[in-house]
Amino acid sequence: MASFDATSLVWLRDDLRLDDNPALSEAAALGLPLTVVYVLDEESAGVRPLGGATRWWLHHSLSVLGASLEANGSRLLLRRGPAADVIKGLATETAAKHLFWNRRYALPEWTLDAVVKEWAGNNDVQASSYQANLLFEPWTVRTGAGGPYKVYTPFWRACLAGADVRDPLEPPRQLPPPATATGGGLPAGEDLESWNLLPHSPDWSGGLAQTWEPGEEGARHRLDDFLDGPADEYGTGRNVPGVEGTSRLSPHLRFGEISPFRVWREIRRHFPHQVPADVGIFRSELGWREFCWNLLYTNPELATRNYRPEFDRFEWQSLNRNELRAWQQGRTGYPFVDAGMRQLWQTGWMHNRVRMAAASFLVKNLLADWRIGEEWFWDTLVDADAASNPANWQWVAGSGADASPYYRIFNPVTQSRKFDSAGRYLRRFVPELADLDAKAIHEPWKAGDVPGYPVPLVGLPESRERALEAYARLKD
């Protein structure tokens, strides 16, 4: 039996997969006893605790990943605490001489990585990091003047004009056996159940469990179903919430259960001669995700600070408790907004067209600070990530990048009529309106009293005028 005087350590974060995982592949290639660890870090400075929906997803994703590693001769070690301290201690405990991870791009995580890398250099540990979760790392895409892009279209054009997207790595054929601790035996880990990531009292996750399949296999199923089906009509289908016209890959990408490199290559495999225009639109949505991370990398306070500083003097209005609760619970009296907010609560996800309308209603018709909505989505979305969530909220509010015209106000009735004309989506999530015809369902207050459904929280013309006046004062 071979003997080893060193081991390897792979530190997993938002890359919960075996496929196209450079850190894991490089560690496996060394052939040294291997520790694969996930650290639940809710204590390090600046690290934002997960919301309820993402905690639910993380639990199931880690469970699936643990089973996959065991099936390949390895194991997933779980530890909890300040990540830098945990990794330093575990590297010492397992006599690790090689430390691998895939890079992250938010400032708190980036700072942690730098601390660990410096420690490794001072303690005879070779630390190696890799590009795994973004097609184009933020510092590689710069304007001619050397600064970051502030507008999406030239950003994405510059990305596509650069080096070709690399091929994804196949999962390791064999994983080395788990490393033992210096005192003998496998390093002690924590029990996933003890982390209490799942909701209790009450358990509100039933709709999430019926909707999603967390894990690497679930991600591949989503991608295959999308490319075999709605991808060909994505340009129109992505705007119709009543049909399955989108990929729903966002939570899988958020947790790294599938890499954007794998998505990119599978698109080319499905369409080897020419990528259809509709699929090109889908790829541009991957580009928007890249743009959001580019924004966060250069603006670390994106979730708490206006990207456009002039919005620091915008006249946001204070909501009373009933107004906020009406929006959160989908009881604003506007069916398109209410259907979206109820879909969010039931499934942990909301169709993007409806997200824009629901967000616009909060920040423009109610004039609520966008940060209130961002925090609610952070807690309730299974795909809430540190870049896309605040970037998209700021885009809707007008305070963000590329938010032109910044005073755009989505009319929920117009959106409903245009994108759910027959009311299919509305009837699914607002069953009180199921008996209304396709005309009345978009403006139920005109049909008289509808039992169980509220009257509009605010009038659309009046609240629109109030918002435009507030934006005009900002401009002045």
Coordinates of all heavy atoms in Angstrom, one line a residue, residues 159-243:
C159 N -17.0 41.0 -24.1 CA -16.8 39.6 -23.7 C -16.8 38.7 -24.9 O -15.9 37.9 -25.0 CB -18.0 39.2 -22.7 SG -18.0 40.0 -21.1
L160 N -17.7 38.9 -25.8 CA -17.8 38.0 -26.9 C -16.7 38.2 -27.9 O -16.3 37.3 -28.7 CB -19.1 38.1 -27.6 CG -20.4 37.8 -26.8 CD1 -21.6 38.0 -27.6 CD2 -20.3 36.3 -26.3
A161 N -16.1 39.4 -27.9 CA -15.0 39.7 -28.8 C -13.6 39.2 -28.2 O -12.6 39.2 -29.0 CB -14.9 41.2 -29.0
G162 N -13.6 38.7 -27.0 CA -12.4 38.2 -26.4 C -12.1 36.8 -26.7 O -12.6 36.2 -27.7
A163 N -11.3 36.2 -25.8 CA -11.0 34.8 -26.0 C -12.2 33.9 -25.9 O -13.2 34.2 -25.2 CB -10.0 34.4 -24.9
D164 N -12.2 32.8 -26.6 CA -13.3 31.9 -26.7 C -13.5 31.2 -25.3 O -12.6 31.1 -24.5 CB -13.0 30.8 -27.7 CG -14.3 30.0 -28.1 OD1 -15.4 30.5 -27.8 OD2 -14.2 28.9 -28.6
V165 N -14.7 30.9 -25.0 CA -15.1 30.3 -23.8 C -14.5 28.9 -23.7 O -14.6 28.1 -24.7 CB -16.6 30.2 -23.6 CG1 -17.0 29.4 -22.4 CG2 -17.2 31.6 -23.6
R166 N -13.8 28.6 -22.6 CA -13.1 27.3 -22.5 C -14.1 26.1 -22.5 O -15.3 26.3 -22.2 CB -12.2 27.2 -21.3 CG -13.0 27.2 -20.0 CD -12.1 26.7 -18.8 NE -12.7 26.8 -17.5 CZ -13.6 25.9 -17.0 NH1 -13.9 24.8 -17.8 NH2 -14.1 26.0 -15.8
D167 N -13.6 24.9 -22.8 CA -14.4 23.7 -22.7 C -14.5 23.3 -21.3 O -13.6 23.5 -20.5 CB -13.7 22.6 -23.5 CG -13.8 22.7 -25.0 OD1 -14.9 23.3 -25.4 OD2 -12.9 22.4 -25.7
P168 N -15.7 22.8 -20.9 CA -15.9 22.3 -19.5 C -15.1 21.1 -19.3 O -14.8 20.3 -20.2 CB -17.4 22.1 -19.4 CG -17.8 21.8 -20.8 CD -16.9 22.7 -21.7
L169 N -14.7 20.9 -18.0 CA -13.9 19.7 -17.6 C -14.9 18.6 -17.3 O -15.9 18.8 -16.7 CB -13.1 20.0 -16.4 CG -12.1 21.1 -16.5 CD1 -11.5 21.4 -15.2 CD2 -11.0 20.8 -17.6
E170 N -14.6 17.4 -17.7 CA -15.4 16.2 -17.3 C -15.1 15.9 -15.8 O -14.1 16.2 -15.3 CB -15.0 15.0 -18.1 CG -15.4 15.2 -19.6 CD -16.8 15.4 -19.8 OE1 -17.7 14.8 -19.2 OE2 -17.2 16.3 -20.7
P171 N -16.1 15.3 -15.1 CA -15.8 15.0 -13.7 C -14.7 14.0 -13.5 O -14.4 13.2 -14.5 CB -17.2 14.4 -13.3 CG -17.9 14.0 -14.5 CD -17.4 14.9 -15.6
P172 N -14.0 14.1 -12.4 CA -12.9 13.1 -12.2 C -13.3 11.7 -12.3 O -14.4 11.3 -11.8 CB -12.4 13.4 -10.8 CG -12.9 14.8 -10.6 CD -14.1 15.0 -11.3
R173 N -12.5 10.9 -13.0 CA -12.9 9.4 -13.1 C -12.8 8.7 -11.8 O -13.5 7.7 -11.5 CB -12.0 8.8 -14.2 CG -12.2 9.3 -15.6 CD -11.6 8.4 -16.6 NE -11.8 8.9 -18.0 CZ -11.6 8.2 -19.0 NH1 -11.1 6.9 -18.9 NH2 -11.8 8.7 -20.3
Q174 N -11.9 9.2 -11.0 CA -11.7 8.5 -9.7 C -11.2 9.6 -8.7 O -10.4 10.4 -9.0 CB -10.7 7.4 -9.8 CG -10.5 6.6 -8.5 CD -9.5 5.5 -8.7 OE1 -9.0 5.2 -9.8 NE2 -9.3 4.7 -7.6
L175 N -11.8 9.5 -7.5 CA -11.3 10.5 -6.5 C -10.4 9.7 -5.5 O -10.7 8.6 -5.1 CB -12.6 11.0 -5.8 CG -13.4 12.0 -6.6 CD1 -14.7 12.4 -5.8 CD2 -12.6 13.3 -6.9
P176 N -9.4 10.4 -5.1 CA -8.5 9.7 -4.1 C -9.2 9.5 -2.8 O -10.3 10.1 -2.5 CB -7.4 10.8 -3.8 CG -7.4 11.6 -5.1 CD -8.9 11.7 -5.5
P177 N -8.8 8.6 -1.9 CA -9.5 8.3 -0.7 C -9.4 9.5 0.2 O -8.5 10.3 0.1 CB -8.7 7.1 -0.1 CG -7.3 7.3 -0.7 CD -7.5 7.8 -2.1
P178 N -10.3 9.6 1.2 CA -10.3 10.7 2.1 C -9.1 10.7 2.9 O -8.5 9.7 3.3 CB -11.6 10.4 3.0 CG -12.4 9.5 2.2 CD -11.5 8.7 1.4
A179 N -8.6 11.9 3.2 CA -7.5 12.1 4.1 C -7.8 11.8 5.5 O -9.0 12.0 6.0 CB -6.9 13.5 4.0
T180 N -6.8 11.3 6.3 CA -7.0 11.1 7.7 C -6.4 12.3 8.5 O -5.6 13.0 8.0 CB -6.4 9.8 8.2 OG1 -5.0 9.8 7.8 CG2 -7.0 8.6 7.5
A181 N -6.9 12.4 9.7 CA -6.4 13.5 10.6 C -5.0 13.0 11.2 O -4.7 11.8 11.1 CB -7.4 13.8 11.7
T182 N -4.3 13.9 11.7 CA -2.9 13.6 12.2 C -3.0 12.6 13.4 O -2.1 11.8 13.6 CB -2.2 14.9 12.7 OG1 -3.1 15.6 13.6 CG2 -1.9 15.8 11.6
G183 N -4.1 12.5 14.1 CA -4.2 11.6 15.2 C -4.8 10.2 14.7 O -5.0 9.4 15.6
G184 N -5.0 10.1 13.4 CA -5.6 8.8 12.9 C -7.1 8.9 12.8 O -7.7 9.6 13.5
G185 N -7.6 8.2 11.8 CA -9.1 8.3 11.5 C -9.4 9.5 10.7 O -8.6 10.4 10.5
L186 N -10.6 9.5 10.2 CA -11.1 10.6 9.3 C -11.3 11.8 10.2 O -11.7 11.8 11.3 CB -12.3 10.2 8.6 CG -12.2 9.0 7.6 CD1 -13.6 8.7 7.0 CD2 -11.2 9.3 6.5
P187 N -11.1 13.0 9.6 CA -11.4 14.3 10.3 C -12.9 14.3 10.7 O -13.8 13.9 9.9 CB -11.1 15.4 9.3 CG -10.2 14.7 8.3 CD -10.6 13.3 8.2
A188 N -13.2 14.8 11.9 CA -14.6 14.9 12.3 C -15.3 16.0 11.6 O -14.8 17.1 11.4 CB -14.6 15.1 13.8
G189 N -16.5 15.7 11.2 CA -17.4 16.6 10.5 C -18.6 16.8 11.3 O -18.9 16.1 12.3
E190 N -19.4 17.8 10.9 CA -20.7 18.1 11.5 C -21.8 17.4 10.7 O -21.7 17.2 9.5 CB -20.9 19.6 11.6 CG -19.8 20.3 12.4 CD -20.1 21.8 12.5 OE1 -21.2 22.2 12.5 OE2 -19.1 22.5 12.6
D191 N -22.9 17.2 11.4 CA -24.1 16.6 10.8 C -24.9 17.7 10.1 O -25.2 18.7 10.7 CB -24.9 15.9 11.8 CG -26.2 15.2 11.2 OD1 -26.0 14.3 10.4 OD2 -27.3 15.7 11.5
L192 N -25.3 17.5 8.9 CA -26.1 18.5 8.1 C -27.3 18.9 8.8 O -27.7 20.1 8.8 CB -26.4 17.9 6.7 CG -27.1 18.9 5.7 CD1 -26.4 20.2 5.5 CD2 -27.4 18.2 4.4
E193 N -28.0 17.9 9.4 CA -29.3 18.2 10.1 C -29.1 19.2 11.2 O -29.9 20.0 11.6 CB -29.9 17.0 10.6 CG -30.3 16.0 9.6 CD -31.5 16.5 8.7 OE1 -32.2 17.3 9.2 OE2 -31.6 16.0 7.6
S194 N -27.9 19.2 11.9 CA -27.6 20.1 13.0 C -27.5 21.5 12.6 O -27.5 22.4 13.5 CB -26.3 19.6 13.7 OG -25.2 19.9 12.9
W195 N -27.4 21.8 11.3 CA -27.3 23.2 10.9 C -28.6 23.9 10.8 O -28.7 25.1 10.6 CB -26.6 23.2 9.5 CG -25.1 23.0 9.5 CD1 -24.4 22.7 10.6 CD2 -24.2 23.0 8.4 NE1 -23.0 22.5 10.3 CE2 -22.9 22.7 9.0 CE3 -24.3 23.2 7.1 CZ2 -21.8 22.6 8.1 CZ3 -23.2 23.1 6.3 CH2 -21.9 22.9 6.8
N196 N -29.7 23.1 10.9 CA -31.0 23.7 10.9 C -31.3 24.6 9.7 O -31.8 25.7 9.9 CB -31.3 24.4 12.2 CG -31.3 23.4 13.4 OD1 -31.9 22.4 13.3 ND2 -30.7 23.8 14.5
L197 N -30.9 24.1 8.6 CA -31.1 25.0 7.4 C -32.6 24.9 6.9 O -33.0 25.8 6.2 CB -30.2 24.5 6.2 CG -28.7 24.6 6.5 CD1 -27.9 24.0 5.4 CD2 -28.3 26.1 6.6
L198 N -33.3 23.8 7.3 CA -34.7 23.6 6.8 C -35.6 24.4 7.7 O -35.4 24.5 8.9 CB -35.0 22.1 6.8 CG -34.1 21.3 5.8 CD1 -34.6 19.8 5.9 CD2 -34.3 21.8 4.4
P199 N -36.7 24.9 7.2 CA -37.7 25.6 8.0 C -38.5 24.7 8.9 O -38.8 23.6 8.6 CB -38.6 26.3 7.0 CG -38.5 25.4 5.8 CD -37.1 24.8 5.8
H200 N -38.8 25.2 10.1 CA -39.6 24.5 11.0 C -40.6 25.5 11.7 O -40.3 26.7 11.8 CB -38.8 23.8 12.1 CG -37.8 22.8 11.6 ND1 -38.2 21.5 11.2 CD2 -36.5 22.8 11.4 CE1 -37.2 20.9 10.8 NE2 -36.1 21.6 10.9
S201 N -41.7 25.0 12.1 CA -42.7 25.8 12.9 C -42.9 27.2 12.3 O -42.6 28.2 12.9 CB -42.2 25.9 14.3 OG -42.0 24.6 14.9
P202 N -43.5 27.3 11.1 CA -44.0 26.3 10.3 C -43.0 25.9 9.2 O -42.0 26.6 8.9 CB -45.2 26.9 9.6 CG -44.8 28.3 9.4 CD -44.0 28.7 10.6
D203 N -43.2 24.7 8.6 CA -42.5 24.3 7.4 C -43.2 24.8 6.2 O -44.2 24.3 5.8 CB -42.4 22.8 7.4 CG -41.6 22.3 6.2 OD1 -41.1 23.1 5.4 OD2 -41.4 21.0 6.1
W204 N -42.6 25.9 5.6 CA -43.3 26.5 4.5 C -42.7 26.0 3.1 O -43.0 26.6 2.1 CB -43.1 28.0 4.5 CG -41.7 28.5 5.0 CD1 -41.4 28.9 6.2 CD2 -40.5 28.4 4.2 NE1 -40.1 29.2 6.3 CE2 -39.5 28.9 5.1 CE3 -40.2 28.1 2.9 CZ2 -38.2 29.1 4.6 CZ3 -38.9 28.2 2.5 CH2 -37.9 28.7 3.4
S205 N -41.9 24.9 3.2 CA -41.1 24.6 2.0 C -41.8 23.5 1.1 O -41.2 23.1 0.1 CB -39.8 24.0 2.4 OG -39.9 22.8 3.2
G206 N -43.1 23.2 1.4 CA -43.7 22.2 0.5 C -43.8 22.5 -0.9 O -43.5 21.6 -1.8
G207 N -44.1 23.8 -1.3 CA -44.1 24.2 -2.7 C -42.7 24.1 -3.3 O -42.6 23.8 -4.5
L208 N -41.7 24.4 -2.6 CA -40.3 24.4 -3.1 C -40.0 22.9 -3.4 O -39.4 22.6 -4.5 CB -39.3 24.9 -2.1 CG -39.1 26.4 -2.0 CD1 -40.4 27.2 -1.6 CD2 -38.0 26.8 -1.1
A209 N -40.3 22.0 -2.5 CA -40.0 20.6 -2.8 C -40.7 20.0 -4.0 O -40.2 19.2 -4.7 CB -40.4 19.8 -1.5
Q210 N -41.9 20.5 -4.2 CA -42.7 20.1 -5.4 C -42.2 20.7 -6.7 O -42.4 20.2 -7.8 CB -44.2 20.4 -5.2 CG -44.8 19.7 -4.1 CD -46.2 20.2 -3.8 OE1 -46.8 21.0 -4.6 NE2 -46.8 19.8 -2.7
T211 N -41.5 21.8 -6.6 CA -41.1 22.6 -7.8 C -39.6 22.2 -8.2 O -39.3 22.2 -9.5 CB -41.2 24.1 -7.5 OG1 -42.5 24.4 -7.1 CG2 -40.9 24.9 -8.8
W212 N -38.7 21.9 -7.3 CA -37.3 21.9 -7.6 C -36.7 20.6 -7.3 O -37.1 19.8 -6.4 CB -36.6 23.0 -6.8 CG -37.1 24.4 -7.1 CD1 -37.9 25.1 -6.3 CD2 -36.8 25.2 -8.2 NE1 -38.2 26.3 -6.9 CE2 -37.5 26.4 -8.1 CE3 -36.1 25.0 -9.4 CZ2 -37.5 27.4 -9.0 CZ3 -36.0 26.0 -10.3 CH2 -36.7 27.2 -10.2
E213 N -35.6 20.3 -8.0 CA -34.7 19.2 -7.7 C -33.3 19.7 -7.5 O -32.5 19.7 -8.4 CB -34.8 18.2 -8.9 CG -33.9 16.9 -8.7 CD -33.8 16.1 -10.0 OE1 -34.4 16.4 -11.0 OE2 -33.1 15.1 -9.9
P214 N -33.0 20.1 -6.3 CA -31.6 20.6 -6.1 C -30.6 19.6 -6.4 O -30.8 18.4 -6.2 CB -31.6 21.0 -4.6 CG -33.1 21.2 -4.3 CD -33.8 20.2 -5.1
G215 N -29.4 20.0 -6.8 CA -28.3 19.1 -7.0 C -27.9 19.1 -8.5 O -28.5 19.6 -9.4
E216 N -26.8 18.4 -8.7 CA -26.1 18.4 -10.0 C -27.0 17.7 -11.1 O -27.1 18.2 -12.2 CB -24.8 17.7 -9.9 CG -23.9 17.9 -11.1 CD -22.5 17.5 -10.8 OE1 -22.2 17.0 -9.7 OE2 -21.6 17.6 -11.7
E217 N -27.6 16.6 -10.7 CA -28.5 15.9 -11.7 C -29.7 16.7 -12.0 O -30.1 16.8 -13.2 CB -28.9 14.6 -11.1 CG -29.7 13.7 -12.1 CD -30.0 12.3 -11.5 OE1 -29.5 12.0 -10.4 OE2 -30.6 11.5 -12.2
G218 N -30.3 17.4 -11.0 CA -31.4 18.3 -11.3 C -31.1 19.4 -12.2 O -31.9 19.8 -13.1
A219 N -29.8 19.9 -12.1 CA -29.4 21.0 -13.0 C -29.3 20.5 -14.4 O -29.7 21.2 -15.4 CB -28.1 21.5 -12.5
R220 N -28.7 19.3 -14.6 CA -28.6 18.8 -16.0 C -30.0 18.5 -16.6 O -30.2 18.7 -17.8 CB -27.8 17.5 -16.0 CG -26.3 17.8 -15.8 CD -25.7 18.8 -16.8 NE -25.8 18.2 -18.2 CZ -24.7 17.6 -18.8 NH1 -23.6 17.4 -18.1 NH2 -24.9 17.2 -20.0
H221 N -30.9 18.0 -15.8 CA -32.3 17.8 -16.2 C -32.9 19.1 -16.7 O -33.6 19.1 -17.8 CB -33.2 17.2 -15.1 CG -32.8 15.8 -14.8 ND1 -33.2 15.1 -13.6 CD2 -32.1 14.8 -15.5 CE1 -32.8 13.9 -13.6 NE2 -32.1 13.7 -14.7
R222 N -32.7 20.1 -15.9 CA -33.3 21.4 -16.3 C -32.7 21.9 -17.7 O -33.4 22.4 -18.5 CB -33.0 22.5 -15.3 CG -33.8 22.4 -14.0 CD -35.2 23.0 -14.3 NE -36.0 23.0 -13.1 CZ -37.3 23.3 -13.0 NH1 -38.0 23.5 -14.1 NH2 -38.0 23.2 -11.9
L223 N -31.4 21.8 -17.8 CA -30.7 22.2 -19.0 C -31.2 21.4 -20.2 O -31.5 22.0 -21.3 CB -29.2 22.2 -18.9 CG -28.4 22.6 -20.1 CD1 -28.7 24.0 -20.5 CD2 -26.9 22.4 -19.8
D224 N -31.2 20.1 -20.1 CA -31.6 19.3 -21.2 C -33.1 19.5 -21.6 O -33.4 19.6 -22.8 CB -31.4 17.8 -20.8 CG -30.0 17.4 -20.7 OD1 -29.1 18.1 -21.2 OD2 -29.7 16.3 -20.1
D225 N -33.9 19.7 -20.6 CA -35.3 19.9 -20.9 C -35.5 21.3 -21.6 O -36.3 21.4 -22.6 CB -36.2 19.9 -19.6 CG -36.3 18.5 -19.0 OD1 -36.0 17.6 -19.7 OD2 -36.8 18.5 -17.9
F226 N -34.7 22.2 -21.2 CA -34.8 23.6 -21.9 C -34.3 23.5 -23.3 O -35.0 24.0 -24.2 CB -34.0 24.6 -21.0 CG -33.9 25.9 -21.7 CD1 -35.0 26.7 -21.8 CD2 -32.7 26.4 -22.1 CE1 -34.9 28.0 -22.4 CE2 -32.6 27.7 -22.7 CZ -33.7 28.4 -22.9
L227 N -33.2 22.9 -23.5 CA -32.6 22.9 -24.9 C -33.4 22.0 -25.8 O -33.5 22.3 -27.0 CB -31.2 22.4 -24.8 CG -30.2 23.3 -24.1 CD1 -28.8 22.7 -24.1 CD2 -30.1 24.7 -24.8
D228 N -34.1 21.0 -25.3 CA -34.9 20.1 -26.1 C -36.3 20.7 -26.3 O -37.1 20.2 -27.2 CB -35.1 18.7 -25.5 CG -33.8 17.9 -25.5 OD1 -32.9 18.2 -26.4 OD2 -33.6 17.0 -24.7
G229 N -36.6 21.8 -25.6 CA -38.0 22.3 -25.7 C -38.0 23.8 -25.9 O -37.9 24.2 -27.1
P230 N -38.2 24.6 -24.9 CA -38.5 26.0 -25.1 C -37.4 26.9 -25.6 O -37.6 28.1 -25.9 CB -39.0 26.5 -23.7 CG -38.4 25.5 -22.7 CD -38.3 24.2 -23.5
A231 N -36.2 26.4 -25.7 CA -35.1 27.2 -26.1 C -35.3 27.8 -27.5 O -34.9 29.0 -27.7 CB -33.8 26.4 -26.1
D232 N -35.9 27.0 -28.4 CA -36.1 27.5 -29.7 C -37.0 28.7 -29.8 O -37.0 29.5 -30.8 CB -36.7 26.4 -30.6 CG -35.7 25.4 -31.0 OD1 -34.5 25.7 -31.1 OD2 -36.1 24.2 -31.3
E233 N -37.9 28.9 -28.8 CA -38.8 30.1 -28.8 C -38.6 30.9 -27.6 O -39.5 31.6 -27.1 CB -40.3 29.5 -28.8 CG -40.6 28.7 -30.1 CD -42.0 28.2 -30.1 OE1 -42.7 28.4 -29.1 OE2 -42.4 27.7 -31.2
Y234 N -37.4 31.0 -27.1 CA -37.1 31.7 -25.9 C -37.3 33.2 -26.0 O -37.8 33.8 -25.0 CB -35.6 31.5 -25.5 CG -35.2 32.2 -24.2 CD1 -35.5 31.6 -23.0 CD2 -34.5 33.3 -24.3 CE1 -35.2 32.3 -21.8 CE2 -34.1 34.0 -23.1 CZ -34.4 33.4 -21.9 OH -34.1 34.1 -20.7
G235 N -37.1 33.7 -27.2 CA -37.3 35.2 -27.4 C -38.7 35.7 -27.0 O -38.8 36.7 -26.4
T236 N -39.7 34.9 -27.3 CA -41.0 35.2 -26.9 C -41.5 34.5 -25.7 O -42.1 35.1 -24.8 CB -42.0 34.9 -28.1 OG1 -41.8 33.5 -28.4 CG2 -41.7 35.7 -29.3
G237 N -41.1 33.2 -25.5 CA -41.6 32.4 -24.4 C -41.1 33.0 -23.1 O -41.8 32.8 -22.0
R238 N -39.9 33.6 -23.0 CA -39.4 34.1 -21.7 C -40.3 35.2 -21.1 O -40.1 35.5 -20.0 CB -38.0 34.6 -22.0 CG -37.9 35.9 -22.9 CD -36.5 36.5 -22.9 NE -36.5 37.6 -23.8 CZ -35.6 38.6 -23.6 NH1 -34.7 38.6 -22.7 NH2 -35.7 39.7 -24.4
N239 N -41.1 35.8 -21.9 CA -42.0 36.9 -21.5 C -43.4 36.4 -21.0 O -44.2 37.3 -20.6 CB -42.1 38.0 -22.5 CG -40.9 38.8 -22.6 OD1 -40.3 39.3 -21.6 ND2 -40.4 39.1 -23.9
V240 N -43.7 35.2 -21.2 CA -45.0 34.7 -21.0 C -45.0 33.8 -19.7 O -44.6 32.7 -19.8 CB -45.6 33.9 -22.2 CG1 -47.0 33.4 -21.9 CG2 -45.5 34.7 -23.5
P241 N -45.5 34.4 -18.6 CA -45.3 33.6 -17.3 C -46.2 32.4 -17.2 O -46.0 31.5 -16.4 CB -45.7 34.7 -16.3 CG -46.6 35.6 -17.0 CD -46.0 35.7 -18.4
G242 N -47.3 32.3 -18.1 CA -48.2 31.2 -18.0 C -47.7 29.9 -18.7 O -48.4 28.9 -18.7
V243 N -46.5 30.0 -19.3 CA -46.0 28.8 -20.0 C -44.6 28.5 -19.5 O -43.9 29.4 -18.9 CB -45.9 29.0 -21.5 CG1 -47.3 29.2 -22.1 CG2 -45.0 30.1 -21.9

